[in-house]
Coordinates of all heavy atoms in Angstrom, one line a residue:
R1070 N 88.9 106.2 116.5 CA 89.7 106.3 117.7 C 89.0 105.9 118.9 O 89.6 105.4 119.8 CB 90.0 108.0 117.8 CG 91.3 108.3 116.9 CD 91.5 109.9 117.3 NE 92.6 110.4 116.4 CZ 93.9 110.5 116.9 NH1 94.2 110.1 118.0 NH2 94.8 111.0 116.0
S1071 N 87.7 106.0 119.0 CA 86.9 105.6 120.2 C 86.9 104.1 120.4 O 86.6 103.7 121.5 CB 85.5 106.1 120.0 OG 84.9 105.3 119.1
W1072 N 87.4 103.4 119.3 CA 87.5 102.0 119.5 C 88.7 101.5 120.2 O 88.8 100.3 120.6 CB 87.3 101.3 118.1 CG 85.9 101.2 117.6 CD1 85.1 102.2 117.4 CD2 85.3 99.8 117.2 NE1 83.9 101.7 117.0 CE2 84.0 100.3 116.9 CE3 85.6 98.6 117.1 CZ2 83.1 99.4 116.4 CZ3 84.6 97.7 116.8 CH2 83.4 98.1 116.3
Y1073 N 89.7 102.5 120.3 CA 91.0 102.1 121.0 C 91.0 103.0 122.1 O 91.5 104.0 122.0 CB 92.2 102.5 119.9 CG 92.0 101.7 118.6 CD1 91.5 102.3 117.5 CD2 92.7 100.5 118.5 CE1 91.5 101.6 116.3 CE2 92.5 99.8 117.2 CZ 92.0 100.3 116.1 OH 92.0 99.7 115.0
P1074 N 90.8 102.4 123.2 CA 90.7 103.1 124.5 C 91.9 103.5 125.1 O 92.0 104.5 126.0 CB 89.9 102.1 125.5 CG 90.2 100.8 125.1 CD 90.4 101.0 123.6
H1075 N 93.1 102.9 124.8 CA 94.4 103.3 125.4 C 95.0 104.4 124.5 O 94.9 104.5 123.4 CB 95.3 102.1 125.5 CG 94.8 101.1 126.4 ND1 93.8 100.2 126.1 CD2 95.3 100.8 127.7 CE1 93.7 99.4 127.1 NE2 94.5 99.7 128.0
Y1076 N 95.6 105.4 125.3 CA 96.1 106.6 124.7 C 97.3 106.3 123.8 O 98.1 105.5 124.1 CB 96.6 107.5 125.7 CG 97.2 108.9 125.2 CD1 96.6 109.9 124.7 CD2 98.6 108.9 125.3 CE1 97.1 110.9 124.2 CE2 99.3 110.2 124.8 CZ 98.6 111.0 124.3 OH 99.2 112.0 123.8
F1077 N 97.4 106.8 122.6 CA 98.4 106.9 121.7 C 98.6 108.2 121.0 O 97.6 108.8 120.6 CB 98.3 105.7 120.6 CG 96.9 105.8 120.0 CD1 96.6 106.4 118.8 CD2 95.7 105.0 120.6 CE1 95.4 106.4 118.3 CE2 94.6 104.9 120.1 CZ 94.3 105.7 118.9
D1078 N 99.8 108.7 121.2 CA 100.2 110.0 120.7 C 100.5 110.0 119.2 O 101.6 109.7 118.8 CB 101.3 110.6 121.4 CG 101.6 112.1 121.2 OD1 100.6 112.7 120.5 OD2 102.6 112.6 121.5
I1079 N 99.6 110.5 118.4 CA 99.6 110.3 116.8 C 98.8 111.4 116.3 O 97.6 111.6 116.7 CB 99.3 109.0 116.4 CG1 99.6 109.0 114.7 CG2 97.8 108.5 116.7 CD1 99.5 107.5 114.2
S1080 N 99.3 112.2 115.3 CA 98.5 113.3 114.8 C 97.5 112.8 114.0 O 97.3 111.6 113.6 CB 99.5 114.2 114.0 OG 100.0 113.5 112.8
S1081 N 96.4 113.7 113.6 CA 95.3 113.3 112.9 C 95.7 112.9 111.5 O 95.3 111.9 110.9 CB 94.4 114.5 112.6 OG 93.3 114.2 111.8
E1082 N 96.7 113.6 111.0 CA 97.3 113.3 109.5 C 97.9 111.9 109.5 O 97.6 111.1 108.7 CB 98.2 114.4 109.1 CG 98.8 114.1 107.7 CD 99.8 115.1 107.2 OE1 100.1 116.0 108.0 OE2 100.3 115.0 106.2
K1083 N 98.6 111.6 110.4 CA 99.4 110.4 110.6 C 98.4 109.2 110.9 O 98.5 108.1 110.4 CB 100.6 110.3 111.6 CG 101.7 111.1 111.3 CD 102.4 110.4 110.0 CE 103.7 111.2 109.7 NZ 104.4 110.6 108.7
F1084 N 97.4 109.5 111.6 CA 96.5 108.6 112.0 C 95.7 108.1 110.9 O 95.4 106.8 110.5 CB 95.5 109.1 113.1 CG 94.5 108.1 113.7 CD1 94.8 107.1 114.6 CD2 93.2 107.9 113.0 CE1 93.7 106.1 115.0 CE2 92.2 107.1 113.5 CZ 92.6 106.1 114.4
V1085 N 95.1 109.1 110.1 CA 94.4 108.7 108.9 C 95.3 108.0 107.8 O 94.8 107.1 107.2 CB 94.0 110.1 108.2 CG1 93.3 109.9 106.7 CG2 92.9 110.8 109.1
E1086 N 96.4 108.4 107.7 CA 97.4 107.7 106.8 C 97.6 106.1 107.3 O 97.5 105.2 106.4 CB 98.7 108.2 106.7 CG 99.8 107.6 105.9 CD 101.2 108.2 105.8 OE1 101.3 109.3 105.5 OE2 102.0 107.4 106.4
M1087 N 97.7 105.9 108.5 CA 97.9 104.6 109.1 C 96.8 103.9 108.9 O 96.9 102.6 108.4 CB 98.3 104.8 110.6 CG 98.4 103.4 111.4 SD 98.3 103.6 113.1 CE 96.8 104.3 113.3
M1088 N 95.6 104.3 109.2 CA 94.4 103.5 109.1 C 94.0 103.2 107.7 O 93.4 102.1 107.3 CB 93.3 104.2 109.8 CG 93.4 104.3 111.3 SD 93.6 102.7 112.1 CE 92.1 101.9 111.7
L1089 N 94.3 104.1 106.8 CA 94.0 104.0 105.3 C 94.8 102.8 104.9 O 94.4 101.9 104.0 CB 94.3 105.2 104.6 CG 93.9 105.1 103.0 CD1 92.5 104.6 102.8 CD2 94.1 106.5 102.4
L1090 N 96.1 102.9 105.1 CA 97.0 101.9 104.6 C 96.8 100.5 105.1 O 96.8 99.6 104.5 CB 98.5 102.2 105.0 CG 99.1 103.4 104.2 CD1 100.5 103.8 104.8 CD2 99.4 103.0 102.7
D1091 N 96.6 100.5 106.5 CA 96.2 99.2 107.2 C 94.9 98.6 106.5 O 94.8 97.4 106.4 CB 96.2 99.4 108.6 CG 97.5 99.7 109.2 OD1 98.6 99.7 108.3 OD2 97.6 99.9 110.5
S1092 N 94.0 99.4 106.5 CA 92.6 98.9 106.0 C 92.7 98.5 104.6 O 92.0 97.4 104.3 CB 91.5 100.0 106.2 OG 91.4 100.4 107.6
C1093 N 93.2 99.2 103.7 CA 93.4 98.8 102.4 C 94.2 97.5 102.3 O 93.8 96.7 101.4 CB 94.1 99.9 101.5 SG 93.0 101.3 101.2
F1094 N 95.2 97.3 103.1 CA 96.0 96.1 103.0 C 95.1 94.8 103.4 O 95.2 93.8 102.7 CB 97.2 96.1 103.9 CG 98.1 94.9 104.0 CD1 99.2 94.7 103.1 CD2 97.8 93.7 104.8 CE1 99.9 93.6 103.0 CE2 98.4 92.5 104.7 CZ 99.5 92.5 103.8
V1095 N 94.4 94.9 104.4 CA 93.5 93.9 104.9 C 92.5 93.5 103.7 O 92.3 92.4 103.4 CB 92.9 94.2 106.3 CG1 91.8 93.1 106.5 CG2 93.8 94.3 107.3
V1096 N 91.9 94.5 103.2 CA 90.7 94.3 102.2 C 91.4 93.7 101.1 O 90.9 92.7 100.4 CB 90.0 95.7 101.9 CG1 89.1 95.3 100.7 CG2 89.2 96.2 103.0
E1097 N 92.4 94.3 100.4 CA 93.2 93.6 99.3 C 93.6 92.3 99.6 O 93.6 91.4 98.7 CB 94.3 94.6 98.8 CG 95.1 94.1 97.6 CD 94.3 94.2 96.4 OE1 93.2 94.8 96.3 OE2 94.7 93.4 95.4
Y1098 N 94.2 92.1 100.7 CA 94.7 90.7 101.1 C 93.5 89.7 101.0 O 93.8 88.7 100.5 CB 95.3 90.7 102.4 CG 96.0 89.5 102.8 CD1 97.2 89.0 102.2 CD2 95.5 88.6 103.7 CE1 97.8 87.9 102.5 CE2 96.0 87.4 104.1 CZ 97.2 87.1 103.6 OH 97.8 85.8 103.7
L1099 N 92.4 90.1 101.6 CA 91.3 89.1 101.6 C 90.9 88.9 100.2 O 90.5 87.8 99.9 CB 90.1 89.7 102.3 CG 90.3 89.9 103.9 CD1 89.1 90.4 104.6 CD2 90.6 88.5 104.6
L1100 N 90.9 89.9 99.3 CA 90.4 89.7 97.9 C 91.5 88.8 97.2 O 91.0 87.9 96.5 CB 90.4 91.2 97.2 CG 89.2 91.9 97.4 CD1 89.4 93.3 96.8 CD2 88.0 91.2 96.7
R1101 N 92.7 88.9 97.4 CA 93.7 88.1 96.7 C 93.6 86.7 97.2 O 93.8 85.7 96.5 CB 95.1 88.8 96.9 CG 95.3 90.0 96.2 CD 96.9 90.5 96.2 NE 96.8 91.7 95.5 CZ 98.0 92.4 95.1 NH1 99.2 91.6 95.2 NH2 98.0 93.5 94.6
C1102 N 93.4 86.5 98.6 CA 93.3 85.2 99.0 C 92.1 84.5 98.3 O 92.1 83.2 98.0 CB 93.2 85.2 100.4 SG 94.8 85.5 101.3
H1103 N 90.8 85.3 98.3 CA 89.7 84.7 97.7 C 89.9 84.4 96.2 O 89.4 83.4 95.7 CB 88.6 85.7 97.8 CG 87.3 85.2 97.3 ND1 86.5 84.3 97.9 CD2 86.7 85.7 96.2 CE1 85.4 84.0 97.1 NE2 85.4 84.9 96.1
Q1104 N 90.7 85.2 95.6 CA 90.8 84.9 94.1 C 91.9 84.2 93.8 O 92.4 83.9 92.6 CB 91.0 86.3 93.5 CG 89.7 87.3 93.6 CD 89.9 88.7 93.2 OE1 91.1 89.2 93.0 NE2 88.9 89.4 93.1
D1105 N 92.7 83.6 94.8 CA 93.9 82.8 94.6 C 94.9 83.5 93.7 O 95.5 83.0 92.8 CB 93.6 81.5 94.1 CG 94.7 80.4 94.3 OD1 95.6 80.7 95.3 OD2 94.7 79.5 93.7
F1106 N 95.2 84.9 94.0 CA 95.8 85.7 93.1 C 97.4 85.7 93.6 O 97.7 86.1 94.9 CB 95.5 87.2 93.2 CG 96.2 88.0 92.4 CD1 96.0 88.3 91.0 CD2 97.2 89.0 92.9 CE1 96.8 89.1 90.2 CE2 97.9 89.9 92.3 CZ 97.7 89.9 90.9
P1107 N 98.3 85.1 92.9 CA 99.7 85.0 93.3 C 100.4 86.4 93.2 O 100.1 87.1 92.3 CB 100.3 83.9 92.4 CG 99.5 84.2 91.1 CD 98.2 84.5 91.5
D1108 N 101.2 86.7 94.2 CA 101.9 88.0 94.2 C 103.3 87.6 95.0 O 103.5 86.5 95.2 CB 101.2 89.1 94.9 CG 100.8 88.9 96.4 OD1 101.3 87.8 96.9 OD2 100.2 89.7 96.9
E1109 N 103.9 88.7 95.2 CA 105.3 88.6 95.8 C 105.3 87.9 97.2 O 106.1 87.0 97.5 CB 106.1 89.9 96.0 CG 107.4 89.8 96.3 CD 108.2 91.2 96.5 OE1 107.7 92.1 95.9 OE2 109.2 91.3 97.1
L1110 N 104.2 88.2 98.0 CA 104.0 87.5 99.3 C 104.0 86.0 99.2 O 104.4 85.3 100.1 CB 102.8 88.2 100.0 CG 103.1 89.7 100.4 CD1 101.7 90.1 101.2 CD2 104.2 89.9 101.4
S1111 N 103.4 85.7 98.1 CA 103.1 84.1 98.0 C 104.3 83.4 97.9 O 104.5 82.2 98.0 CB 102.2 83.9 96.8 OG 100.9 84.7 97.0
T1112 N 105.5 84.0 97.3 CA 106.6 83.4 97.1 C 107.6 83.3 98.3 O 108.6 82.7 98.3 CB 107.5 84.1 96.0 OG1 107.8 85.4 96.5 CG2 106.6 84.4 94.7
I1113 N 107.2 84.0 99.4 CA 108.0 84.0 100.7 C 107.5 82.8 101.5 O 106.3 82.7 101.9 CB 107.9 85.3 101.5 CG1 108.3 86.5 100.5 CG2 108.8 85.3 102.7 CD1 108.1 87.9 101.0
L1114 N 108.4 82.0 101.9 CA 108.1 80.8 102.8 C 107.4 81.3 104.1 O 107.8 82.0 104.8 CB 109.3 80.0 103.0 CG 109.1 78.8 103.7 CD1 108.4 77.7 102.8 CD2 110.5 78.1 104.2
C1115 N 106.2 80.5 104.3 CA 105.5 80.6 105.5 C 104.8 82.0 105.6 O 104.3 82.4 106.8 CB 106.2 80.3 106.7 SG 106.7 78.6 106.8
M1116 N 104.9 82.9 104.6 CA 104.5 84.3 104.7 C 103.0 84.3 105.2 O 102.5 85.1 106.0 CB 104.6 85.1 103.5 CG 104.2 86.5 103.5 SD 104.8 87.4 105.0 CE 106.5 87.7 104.5
H1117 N 102.1 83.6 104.5 CA 100.7 83.6 104.7 C 100.3 83.1 106.1 O 99.3 83.5 106.7 CB 99.9 82.7 103.6 CG 99.9 83.4 102.3 ND1 99.3 84.6 102.1 CD2 100.4 82.8 101.1 CE1 99.4 84.9 100.8 NE2 100.1 83.9 100.2

C-alpha cells in the first residue's frame, strides 16, 4: 500500500485478493510468453 500514495478505499480482504490475482496473472503471463505456451488469449486478435 505504501507504494501507492493516492488514497483508495478498499478493505484489507479485497486488497489482498486484488493484488494476489493481479500479481499471479503477470507472473504466469511472463512464463507463458517465455515458454511460447498457447492458450485462449493467443487466439484473440491483437490481444498480446
Side-chain angles (χ1 to χ4, degrees):
R1070 282 181 180 265
S1071 73
W1072 280 56
Y1073 300 97
H1075 291 79
Y1076 175 77
F1077 44 92
D1078 187 13
I1079 184 171
S1080 67
S1081 177
E1082 182 181 358
K1083 288 293 184 181
F1084 184 85
V1085 167
E1086 178 186 297
M1087 173 191 68
M1088 292 307 300
L1089 181 58
L1090 284 171
D1091 291 355
S1092 301
C1093 285
F1094 180 93
V1095 171
V1096 171
E1097 178 66 19
Y1098 184 73
L1099 293 178
L1100 280 166
R1101 293 191 182 199
C1102 289
H1103 178 73
Q1104 297 164 351
D1105 200 18
F1106 179 81
D1108 62 6
E1109 187 178 346
L1110 291 179
S1111 302
T1112 66
I1113 304 174
L1114 185 65
C1115 296
M1116 179 57 73
H1117 289 301

